[in-house]
């Protein structure tokens, strides 16, 4: 390590795994998390997460019994916290597939210590997101039938495939399916490792899940090909899913919504918020399980750089929206954006600007990018700001209708708040269970990075 510190190539090949790591120590350090009793912090977090998840199911049951009128949606704000939270959760799920697929295709080795947890986060976020449009239909026990591409014999009607709401069903379900396959395929070698270390029922369970993996050259060849194909399939999904979600707004005729900048703007915002959530979770996991040597400052700093880049894109999109509203010479469009900044929801708009445009600028400074407390706080601010962005887009564009007589103001009810807080509890519960029973870091991929790092330190010999 002393020789590496004097080597000018060290800056070009940063140490991604610190300490005197070996193949055996990597396996032990990651596997022991699932094999030993969780730390007290895990139980404290579960004590908070499980009651919140219970609150979600209570609110959903109350909604089914009484109808969606228990939400704060009104006329003209027909979409409220339900669609706001749907778009927010879908955005959070973007970082996992981006880290796994796109960075894998670009051979970015720093992804290996964080990709497994980010992929799991994707699945859990999509699960939370799917709750909202399903219950927004008002009759979830019949909505699934109406949304499938088959004729409705009871009403002699077909689904409207020209509606972007239908596109959502296909996009999100495809995204969830491919992400789950990508996550599971990457897990197979590590599940086999846990199988070989386990005994009894635990060994049998991991034996079934690992699907007979023995680590032969033939199996590795097929594994790498399957992983590459799934990465190739996932990459366009990262760009398409949130683009289609943005079409829910962009294909309408509502001032403030129908704009062509929405697809790239939404994709950048999704990556922006997704990476912020990954930092939030990985900083905590890193601290609780003492994984500082595997999840290093370099991993976190690189994520901060991605947040800075996507944050600049989001800030540019905010300015572009105002420019286009002015350039269009459309009085309704201009009013929509002036109303955002100076109307009844000005507090939400300027909260969004503060969190999404101003706070990421601190990542220009290396001291901030390498400070755990600073990046953790800024990541939380970014996630708050991205929620405000979705709320501002929906509420401010709807609460001032074309007719002043129909103007209104959206206020969430306790069911809105309880459902949103409950989805956070569900997300945290699933993530904690994942940390407890499955390897949170890709053992096989980290070993590959460790080998390359060793070769680099030895000068390629």
């Amino acid at each position: 390590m002393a020789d590496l510190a004097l080597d000018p190539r060290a800056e070009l090949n940063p140490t991604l795994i610190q300490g005197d790591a070996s193949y055996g120590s990597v396996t032990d350090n990651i596997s022991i998390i699932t094999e030993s009793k969780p730390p007290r912090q895990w139980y404290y977090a579960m004590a908070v997460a499980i009651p919140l998840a219970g609150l979600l199911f209570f609110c959903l049951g109350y909604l089914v019994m009484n109808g969606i009128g228990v939400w704060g949606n009104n006329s003209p704000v027909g979409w409220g916290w339900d669609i706001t939270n749907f778009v927010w959760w879908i955005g959070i799920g973007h970082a996992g597939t981006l880290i796994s697929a796109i960075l894998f295709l670009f051979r970015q080795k720093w992804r290996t210590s964080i990709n497994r947890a980010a992929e799991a986060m994707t699945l859990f976020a999509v699960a939370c997101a799917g709750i909202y449009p399903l219950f927004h239909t008002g009759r979830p026990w019949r909505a699934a039938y109406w949304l499938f591409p088959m004729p409705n014999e009871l009403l002699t009607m077909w689904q409207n495939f020209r509606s972007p709401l239908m596109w959502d069903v296909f996009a999100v379900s495809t995204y969830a399916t491919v992400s789950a396959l990508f996550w599971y395929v990457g897990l197979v070698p590590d599940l086999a490792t846990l199988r070989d270390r386990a005994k009894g029922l635990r060994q049998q369970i991991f034996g079934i899940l690992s699907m007979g993996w023995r680590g032969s050259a033939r199996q590795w060849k097929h594994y790498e090909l399957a992983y590459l194909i799934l990465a190739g399939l996932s990459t366009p999904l990262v760009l398409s899913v949130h683009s289609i979600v943005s079409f829910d707004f962009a294909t309408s005729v509502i001032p403030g919504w129908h704009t062509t900048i929405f697809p790239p703007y939404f994709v950048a915002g999704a990556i922006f918020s997704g990476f912020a959530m990954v930092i939030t979770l990985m900083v905590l996991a890193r601290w609780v399980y003492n994984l500082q040597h595997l999840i290093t400052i370099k991993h976190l700093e690189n994520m901060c750089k991605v947040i800075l880049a996507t944050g600049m894109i989001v800030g540019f999109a905010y300015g572009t929206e105002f420019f286009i509203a002015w350039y269009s010479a459309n009085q309704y469009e201009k009013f929509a954006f002036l109303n955002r900044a100076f109307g009844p929801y000005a507090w939400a708009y300027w909260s969004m600007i503060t969190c999404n445009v101003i706070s990421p600028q601190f990542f220009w400074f290396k001291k901030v990018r390498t400070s755990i407390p600073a990046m953790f706080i800024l990541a939380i601010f970014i996630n708050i700001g991205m929620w405000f962005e979705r709320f501002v887009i929906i509420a401010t564009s709807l609460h001032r209708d074309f007719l002043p007589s129909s103007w209104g103001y959206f206020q969430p009810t306790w069911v809105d708040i309880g459902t949103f807080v409950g989805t956070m509890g569900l997300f945290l519960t699933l993530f904690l269970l994942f940390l407890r029973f499955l390897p949170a870091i890709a053992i096989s991929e980290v070993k590959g990075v460790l080998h390359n790092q060793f070769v680099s330190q030895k000068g390629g010999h």
Side-chain angles (χ1 to χ4, degrees):
M1 297 298 291
D3 294 337
L4 181 64
L6 300 175
D7 191 347
R9 291 170 300 180
E11 288 298 320
L12 299 177
N13 300 291
T15 303
L16 295 175
I17 302 174
Q18 297 178 346
D20 297 325
S22 64
Y23 293 150
S25 66
V26 168
T27 301
D28 291 337
N29 291 337
I30 299 174
S31 300
I32 198 69
I33 297 174
T34 67
E35 297 168 347
S36 59
K37 186 178 180 181
R40 283 182 295 178
Q41 296 95 321
W42 187 89
Y43 290 103
Y44 295 152
M46 285 295 283
V48 174
I50 291 177
L52 293 180
L55 175 63
L56 168 65
F57 294 110
F58 171 78
C59 290
L60 294 178
Y62 183 81
L63 181 144
V64 170
M65 294 296 294
N66 295 276
I68 60 172
V70 298
W71 282 342
N73 300 1
N74 55 40
S75 181
V77 188
W79 288 359
W81 272 34
D82 51 338
I83 305 302
T84 299
N85 298 335
F86 162 69
V87 181
W88 187 73
W89 277 117
I90 286 291
I92 284 177
H94 262 57
T97 308
L98 176 80
I99 290 172
S100 297
I102 296 179
L103 296 185
F104 171 76
L105 294 176
F106 281 94
R107 298 294 187 261
Q108 296 296 305
K109 299 299 183 182
W110 63 269
R111 60 176 279 281
T112 53
S113 292
I114 57 176
N115 69 314
R116 177 69 52 73
E119 291 167 15
M121 185 194 76
T122 291
L123 300 178
F124 306 149
V126 170
C128 292
I131 292 172
Y132 288 100
L134 181 63
F135 282 87
H136 181 77
T137 59
R139 295 180 181 179
W141 54 92
R142 302 190 70 179
Y145 178 77
W146 287 336
L147 291 173
F148 277 119
M150 62 179 67
N152 189 321
E153 297 173 356
L154 298 178
L155 300 177
T156 61
M157 62 180 290
W158 283 87
Q159 288 75 11
N160 183 8
F161 291 102
R162 292 176 297 177
S163 169
L165 300 179
M166 278 298 300
W167 307 343
D168 274 352
V169 176
F170 289 90
V172 175
S173 60
T174 303
Y175 181 65
T177 303
V178 174
S179 296
L181 287 172
F182 196 37
W183 176 68
Y184 185 73
V185 167
L187 266 173
V188 169
D190 294 351
L191 292 174
T193 300
L194 296 181
R195 174 202 63 199
D196 296 339
R197 295 169 58 96
K199 295 180 180 179
L201 178 61
R202 182 181 173 87
Q203 186 180 50
Q204 295 176 8
I205 294 173
F206 283 125
I208 295 172
L209 294 176
S210 60
M211 300 190 296
W213 178 269
R214 296 298 173 190
S216 66
R218 181 183 178 87
Q219 287 182 330
W220 274 110
K221 177 183 177 181
H222 291 306
Y223 166 83
E224 292 176 355
L225 179 60
Y227 201 77
L228 180 63
I229 291 172
L230 287 171
L233 290 173
S234 300
T235 299
L237 286 175
V238 175
L239 305 176
S240 68
V241 171
H242 224 56
S243 295
I244 291 175
V245 170
S246 76
F247 291 165
D248 295 347
F249 307 96
T251 57
S252 71
V253 294
I254 303 296
W257 284 6
H258 61 288
T259 173
T260 55
I261 199 176
F262 263 35
Y265 163 30
F266 269 52
V267 170
I271 297 170
F272 183 53
S273 60
F275 268 83
M277 182 61 79
V278 172
I279 285 181
T280 303
L281 296 176
M282 296 313 293
V283 164
L284 293 175
R286 179 179 186 267
W287 168 64
V288 170
Y289 291 105
N290 295 316
L291 297 173
Q292 290 84 351
H293 61 297
L294 295 176
I295 306 173
T296 65
I297 291 294
K298 187 62 182 177
H299 293 98
L300 300 174
E301 183 185 4
N302 286 342
M303 286 194 285
C304 291
K305 292 177 180 178
V306 174
I307 289 176
L308 175 61
T310 51
M312 297 292 288
I313 296 173
V314 169
F316 176 77
Y318 293 160
T320 302
E321 285 186 309
F322 270 87
F323 170 78
I324 294 300
W326 166 79
Y327 191 71
S328 68
N330 185 311
Q331 60 177 330
Y332 300 107
E333 197 77 18
K334 287 189 287 187
F335 172 80
F337 284 95
L338 289 174
N339 184 57
R340 281 186 187 180
F342 305 107
Y345 288 104
W347 57 272
Y349 179 82
W350 292 110
S351 297
M352 174 190 78
I353 294 296
T354 302
C355 294
N356 292 348
V357 179
I358 298 175
S359 63
Q361 303 309 313
F362 289 100
F363 286 137
W364 284 106
F365 305 102
K366 188 177 180 65
K367 286 187 177 180
V368 177
R369 295 197 307 269
T370 55
S371 169
I372 298 296
M375 72 174 68
F376 183 75
I377 293 171
L378 289 173
I380 291 176
F381 270 101
I382 289 167
N383 275 313
I384 293 172
M386 289 307 296
W387 185 91
F388 273 116
E389 178 199 288
R390 280 63 182 248
F391 177 75
V392 165
I393 289 173
I394 292 171
T396 62
S397 297
L398 293 177
H399 82 117
R400 290 290 184 258
D401 207 343
F402 291 100
L403 295 176
S405 60
S406 63
W407 288 3
Y409 191 83
F410 173 83
Q411 289 183 321
T413 65
W414 68 268
V415 183
D416 281 306
I417 299 171
T419 304
F420 181 46
V421 174
T423 54
M424 291 185 176
L426 176 63
F427 177 82
L428 185 57
T429 300
L430 294 173
F431 191 78
L432 289 170
L433 291 174
F434 160 74
L435 291 178
R436 174 66 182 88
F437 295 107
L438 293 173
I441 298 176
I443 300 173
S444 58
E445 295 194 43
V446 170
K447 287 180 179 178
V449 172
L450 183 62
H451 170 75
N452 293 336
Q453 184 173 295
F454 177 77
V455 171
S456 175
Q457 292 175 10
K458 296 300 182 181
H461 299 293

